[in-house]
Every structure is written in structure tokens, then in C-alpha cells.
């Protein structure tokens, strides 16, 4: 039996064991072809099938409507910070950004080189403890889109409600991708790196409303144009074959689990287990995030002091509960509970947290 | 025993079997960690080691001097078509491009959006049958760099001699990466996708002269800046973990084979075997490339007519000599003989070609 630790890594992170075992079985000789999939042309029959299946499954599991297409683009969400304004902002148009933490700020900073952008809301003064309500977001005249970060991996914040907005939404969903339904009519574009909820590192998935590609800008290098990727079915250049292949398997696994409805419920329930331990600890564990904005993916918490946090992390590690350290920029602890995280691992964490508090660890 | 066909794919393409088998052994549980490498943080100890080793091996095997650094960037060589002019061309500076075929033209086309560029040589009228001699390349006043494509994958052309140039060279070496020594003092930058000679698809390696990063442009998104990747040791955002990991193993394999000198000699000898069959076929097989510019990586050839080519490809396929079809834009046949291609496969191809010509296949 394969040894598996409880892996709470914030990304890259846990994948379903079944998927890893399938990859292992196929990696040297893919379906009797006498070669590995990673040795094959990306324009050949085997890869075609892998590519088409991953794309179709993603559109299906996400519940994306007909008027959206899906692109696979390398460079992660980070390259999208540039590609979104490059492609969406025509001269005179503005991009609005809701600043909820590190990732939203990154998107905002990069976008500033490719158009006029402004902060429509900024949680900095409050120390990034929550997502804004719709009425708090101030949009200026001439705004093309409102960019939000649906879940802040570092701060452990999420938009529990999608904002109501008079302009189309654009969302970076890297850290809660495929864990909640999307109200598609409000969106022009949804993107995210796949390396948390969906597969190995190496690409972003970009869901884009087809209609916005008709007015595409042509003064960009081809790799940076959404319309080029869309017209070529994400095969404009060599795609990240292995990442697409494994992501397709994870999507199949998600579908087999019952799809988005089940995944969302499990995410909510898994997170609730940990928050309950925090909330019933008489203040021993503290979550700095306002209750309504608490992430279902990244549960951040503090202990009474840093020395205890250090002891907690070491003891957790010894108990095979690994990667619970908070992001280096904020410290503390963080349990990332992405889609492939079994409930048994979350229960093991909860038991450990109770035991640690009561001195039994 | 693992079944292996003779895989002449132009990319992604053949990898050493030993490497695939190592990956298979490690993919579920990496070194007893209780998880896969692709489930681990890119800022953790295991990946750190993989990343550092791949980088150090690449610098060593390529023989890059101290004044060069190496970046891992997603998006393949195609994204570099944009990043090179974005980062290197200051206002008023020009980029010179030697147009030797499809890939050079692609680099030229994309660069035009980010600075003033011009064709310093163009093989179009001759039908892209050769690389230019140094004296044929016309540089204009104010030229920052001369961009060359060291090997044209589709046309089967290479620069047998690196151009002598009064301005620094920039080379796209995607299809002959790590198969020949590089005269580093002439270069400011050398890049290439790894998916032909070095590993699975998913990134470019960019060798960059450190000095040119000191005058880096700051008006670009962070992912598009060489200096950002360099300062962060290619860990500015989540790297393509699996691609780096497998590329590191291929580099180790190359070092074990004897390094660049041996690899180069073998490449020359393997290519010579196929060209000899072509040249001694009384015109039955024809290579459209001028002899001095013949690629050591991609041997392109035609048969007397297209019907014969079709029969040739079908019979080759049946004999487990696969992926010999020429690029869809030019037709004909192409044997790609990248570094991991065993000499035995090349000999099998030569025997097949002789047999086919003499009607024994």
C-alpha cells in the first residue's frame, strides 16, 4: 500500500491518488503506442484525444455555457495579470480592481502597464480581513471590467457572494477554481492556475466569453492574444502536454465524485470542521479573517504566540500532517483544503489541533 | 521488456527510456515523502533540490560561462518571440532578424509589436534552402541585436557556422538546443523550448548575459521581465515542476553520455547516415536544403512523387518507424534525430529507406 501523508500544501498540492497511479501505469508506454505521451506530437491522434477530453470535461464540470470557450495558456495566473488588460482594455477604457490581498494587488500592479486601472475597493487599511460587499465597490465612468480575486490564498479570504456589478466581472479563481458554481452571465472572463485544485503546475485555464474576442486587439505578439489561442484550440504552439493530460484525469475524477455540487458541499463541510475547532478553542486558535469572508480552501489561523506556532508545526509534521506553515509574508498557520483533500485528512487535522491545545501532543 | 517504436517526431519527441523509467518509479511517492513531487510546494526542500540541480546541470552541460544566468520561463520559445524585443529594445534601438524559415519569420512578426525590427537577410525568394553567410547579413545603424534561428525545424536548415556580427547575437535554438557548442562571447541571449532535445513540453530555457539585465525595462508586467525571473531564480511564480524535473534527468543523462562533445559528434554522425542514403539514391530521395546548411536534427527529404511519399510513410509506420511525415506546411518526409534518438533507430531508418527504394518494402 502506498504511503500517503496528510498534505495541506497551498499549491502545488494534493492530487487524487487514483490519478497518480494511472499516470504511473501509463507514463512509459502510453496505451501500447510504444512511447510515452510526453514523447508524442501535440498534433497527433493520442494527444488530440487527451486535449479534447480535458477541454470538454472542464467546460462540463464548470458548467460553462455555450457562449464561453476555454483556453489553456502557459505562465499561470501570473501571465494572465498581463494578458487580461492587454486584450480587454481598448484605449480610453479603464480596469477596476478590488484589492483583497496579495494576489489582487499583483494583478493590479501588472495591469497598470497596459491600460488605465484603479482600485475600486482596497482592504489594505483593515489589514485585508474581508472581501467587500457590492455596495462598497466604487466604479468610475468608462470602466471595462471589475477584476476580483475570488479567493486570496495567502490571506484566507473569499468572496462569499459574487459582487453585483454594472460592468462585466473578471475573476482570478486560482485558489478556489472548480470548487463553487460561477454565475456566468455576470462574467466576461474567469481564469486560474491549475496547480491547486486541478492538476500539476504549468498552465492557466482561461474561460472567455466568445463575443469579446471579436473585437480583439491585433497589436500584440501572438502568444499574448486570447483570440489566437481560441482560434487554434490552444494549439497555437506546443501545449504543456503533461499538465493537460493530468488535469484531464483530475476533471474526470471530479465528475465521478459527483461534480461541482458535491465538490462545493464537501469543500464547505471540510472547512467548517476546521473553523469549528478554531471557534471552540476559547481563543487558543484565532482566525484573522471576518467570519463571512472565510475561505473554504485556505484556512489561516494563529496560535497564542510564535513559539507555540513553531512547536505546533513541528508536532504536526511529526504526525504526518505536513505543509501547514502560513505564507512567508504573513506567518502563522494555514491548512489548504483543496478538492483532492480527503475528509479523513481534515478530521486528522482537527483531532490533532484539539489534542495539541489540550497538551496531548 | 518495454516495447519501444522508432520515434522520429519533430517535438515533443523521444526521451531516454531510462529517464521515463525513473519518472515512473518516483511519480506516486517521491523519495519516500508520502506524496508526489507534483504535489509539493515549489518552495520546499525536495523541489528546491530538483530546481537547483536542473539549472546547475544545464549551465554545466551547455558550458555557459559565469557571466550568463539561466531562466526557466513558461510559454515556450513562442513567448520569447515577444519577451526578447520587450526586454532588449530600448527606444531608438533596432532588432535585426535573419529570416531562414517559418520560425524566424514568427519571431520577426511578433517582435514588430515591441520595437523597430527589420529583415537583415531573407531566404524567401530562394525558398528557404539555406542559412546566410555572415557577409550577406546587412545590419543597419542603431541595431541592438541580430536574431537568428540556429536550426529551422520545418525547413531542415541550420547555421553550420555562427554568424560573425558586430552586434550581439540572440538565438532561438529550440530545435538544436544542447547539440552543439555555443560561442558565448558573441551572444547576449540564447533561448529555446525544451520539448525537443531536453524534456517534456512546458517551458523555455533562456540563457541571458547578466550585464544586460542591469539596464532592464521596468514598464512591463513582472512575468514578462527577464530581470524579475533572474532575481527570483525562476521562482517568481509557480514553475512548471514536472518539466523542470524531467529536464533535469535528461541533462544528467546527457552528462553521463559524455556531454556536449559526444552529443555533437553523435548528432553529426547520425544525420550523416541518413544524408548518405539520400545522396546515394540516384535522386530517388531528394533533400531540398543546400548541403552546407543541412540540419543535424531534422532531415527533410522528398520522394519522386506524393503518392510514393504516402506509401513510404505508411510502410514506415508499419515497420514501427513513426512520425516521419513532414510538417503540414511543406509536406514530404522529415526524420527528427534529437539527442535521445538511439543510433540503432537511425540505422533502422536507413535500412528501411534503402529497402523501400529497391522495392523490398
Amino acid at each position: 500500500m502506498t504511503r500517503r501523508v496528510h498534505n495541506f500544501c497551498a499549491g502545488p498540492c494534493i492530487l487524487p491518488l487514483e490519478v497518480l497511479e494511472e499516470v504511473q501505469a501509463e507514463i512509459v508506454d502510453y496505451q501500447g503506442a510504444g512511447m510515452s505521451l510526453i514523447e508524442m506530437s501535440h498534433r497527433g491522434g493520442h494527444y488530440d484525444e487527451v486535449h479534447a477530453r480535458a477541454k470538454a470535461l472542464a467546460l462540463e464540470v464548470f458548467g460553462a455555457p455555450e457562449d464561453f470557450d476555454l483556453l489553456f495558456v502557459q505562465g499561470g495566473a501570473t501571465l494572465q495579470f498581463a494578458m487580461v488588460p492587454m486584450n480587454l482594455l481598448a484605449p480610453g477604457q479603464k480596469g477596476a480592481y478590488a484589492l483583497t490581498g496579495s494576489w489582487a494587488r499583483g494583478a493590479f500592479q501588472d495591469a497598470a502597464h497596459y491600460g488605465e486601472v484603479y482600485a475600486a475597493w482596497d482592504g489594505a487599511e483593515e489589514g485585508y480581513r474581508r472581501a467587500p460587499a457590492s455596495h462598497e465597490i466604487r466604479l468610475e465612468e468608462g470602466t471595462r471590467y471589475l477584476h476580483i480575486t475570488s479567493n486570496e490564498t495567502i490571506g484566507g479570504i473569499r468572496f462569499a457572494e459574487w459582487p453585483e456589478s454594472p460592468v462585466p466581472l473578471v475573476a482570478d479563481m486560482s485558489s478556489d477554481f472548480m470548487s463553487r458554481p460561477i454565475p456566468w452571465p455576470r462574467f466576461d472572463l474567469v481564469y486560474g492556475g491549475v496547480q491547486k485544485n486541478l492538476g500539476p503546475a504549468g498552465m492557466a485555464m482561461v474561460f472567455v466569453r466568445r463575443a469579446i474576442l471579436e473585437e480583439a486587439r491585433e497589436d500584440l505578439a501572438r502568444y499574448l492574444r486570447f483570440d489566437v489561442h481560441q482560434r487554434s484550440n490552444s494549439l497555437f504552439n506546443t501545449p504543456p502536454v503533461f499538465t493537460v493530460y493530468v488535469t484531464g484525469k483530475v476533471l474526470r475524477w471530479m465528475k465521478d465524485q459527483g461534480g461541482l455540487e458535491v465538490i462545493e458541499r464537501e469543500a464547505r463541510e471540510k472547512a467548517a470542521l476546521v473553523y469549528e475547532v478554531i471557534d471552540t478553542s476559547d481563543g487558543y486558535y484565532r482566525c484573522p479573517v471576518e467570519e463571512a469572508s472565510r475561505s473554504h480552501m485556505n484556512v489561516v489561523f494563529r496560535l497564542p504566540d510564535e513559539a507555540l506556532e513553531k512547536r505546533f508545526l513541528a508536532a504536526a509534521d511529526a504526525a504526518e500532517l505536513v505543509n501547514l506553515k502560513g505564507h512567508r509574508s504573513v506567518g502563522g498557520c494555514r491548512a489548504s483544503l483543496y478538492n483532492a483533500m480527503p475528509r479523513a485528512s481534515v478530521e486528522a487535522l482537527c483531532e490533532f489541533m484539539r489534542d495539541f491545545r489540550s497538551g496531548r501532543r
Side-chain angles (χ1 to χ4, degrees), chain A:
Chain A
M1 168 112 184
T2 305
R3 174 172 164 257
R4 294 282 278 175
V5 296
H6 305 293
N7 179 9
F8 297 93
C9 192
C13 61
I14 188 167
L15 295 169
L17 179 60
E18 303 90 296
V19 166
L20 294 171
E21 286 171 343
E22 272 179 49
V23 172
Q24 183 172 47
E26 293 176 345
I27 194 71
V28 173
D29 184 2
Y30 187 74
Q31 301 192 345
M35 53 184 144
S36 175
L37 184 72
I38 61 175
E39 300 181 293
M40 292 183 192
S41 171
H42 57 292
R43 307 203 187 273
H46 280 291
Y47 182 71
D48 265 359
E49 197 183 292
V50 163
H51 191 87
R53 189 165 50 217
K55 182 175 167 181
L57 274 165
L59 289 163
E60 181 189 344
V61 179
F62 269 80
E66 276 294 310
D67 46 350
F68 275 77
D69 205 341
L70 170 59
L71 319 177
F72 299 144
V73 188
Q74 293 178 56
T78 305
L79 183 57
Q80 296 309 308
F81 294 171
M83 285 178 67
V84 165
M86 277 179 186
N87 283 272
L88 267 57
L89 291 181
Q93 292 181 325
K94 301 178 195 173
Y97 284 73
L99 304 185
T100 44
S102 301
W103 292 105
R105 295 198 72 87
F108 181 53
Q109 176 187 346
D110 281 336
H113 300 295
Y114 306 104
E116 192 181 336
V117 295
Y118 65 95
W121 186 81
D122 191 345
E125 281 192 18
E126 301 176 14
Y128 297 120
R129 298 178 54 243
R130 65 184 182 94
S134 299
H135 69 85
E136 296 177 290
I137 298 172
R138 303 286 173 198
L139 295 178
E140 298 177 6
E141 202 68 37
T143 298
R144 166 70 183 84
Y145 60 78
L146 168 61
H147 181 284
I148 61 169
T149 307
S150 56
N151 185 84
E152 287 279 356
T153 327
I154 295 174
I157 293 168
R158 77 169 196 143
F159 275 90
E161 306 290 336
W162 297 102
E164 300 283 350
S165 162
V167 301
L169 294 177
V170 169
D172 172 5
M173 291 192 71
S174 295
S175 54
D176 64 355
F177 229 9
M178 197 66 102
S179 74
R180 58 193 299 190
I182 295 169
W184 293 99
R186 296 194 215 171
F187 283 88
D188 267 1
L189 197 133
V190 172
Y191 68 91
V194 299
Q195 75 278 4
K196 296 176 192 293
N197 268 322
L198 284 167
M203 70 176 185
M205 296 206 314
V206 183
F207 292 90
V208 60
R209 182 178 292 284
R210 290 174 204 277
I212 72 170
L213 300 178
E214 282 160 24
E215 23 184 300
R217 285 179 54 171
E218 293 178 0
D219 57 345
L220 302 170
R222 294 163 300 163
Y223 198 83
L224 299 171
R225 289 172 56 171
F226 290 135
D227 62 323
V228 168
H229 289 287
Q230 196 262 342
R231 278 201 307 275
S232 61
N233 188 30
S234 301
L235 291 166
F236 171 65
N237 68 337
T238 315
V241 168
F242 183 80
T243 297
V244 173
Y245 159 68
V246 181
T247 299
K249 289 187 183 289
V250 175
L251 286 160
R252 158 63 60 181
W253 174 87
M254 291 179 68
K255 189 179 168 185
D256 292 345
Q257 299 294 301
L260 197 52
E261 204 181 320
V262 171
I263 299 269
E264 187 197 21
R265 191 182 65 229
E266 296 216 331
R268 190 173 54 241
E269 292 176 1
K270 286 186 289 186
L273 292 174
V274 187
Y275 287 120
E276 207 211 330
V277 174
I278 293 170
D279 292 340
T280 58
S281 73
D282 291 328
Y284 184 83
Y285 297 111
R286 285 168 299 117
C287 173
V289 179
E290 277 198 6
E291 195 165 333
S293 295
R294 285 173 168 182
S295 171
H296 291 179
M297 294 287 122
N298 313 99
V299 179
V300 298
F301 56 96
R302 307 296 310 234
L303 273 71
D305 60 52
E306 288 186 14
L308 272 171
E309 282 170 356
K310 211 170 155 186
R311 274 221 297 127
F312 175 90
L313 293 169
D317 214 64
E320 304 213 326
L321 298 151
V322 307
N323 292 321
L324 284 163
K325 196 170 174 181
H327 190 267
R328 61 211 149 94
S329 64
V330 294
C333 304
R334 172 175 56 177
S336 294
L337 315 175
Y338 296 121
N339 293 340
M341 168 69 58
R343 187 184 289 243
S345 289
V346 180
E347 288 166 348
L349 170 64
C350 291
E351 192 189 335
F352 175 84
M353 288 173 73
R354 287 198 197 89
D355 286 355
F356 186 84
R357 179 187 159 216
S358 62
R360 278 172 297 180
R361 296 271 194 168

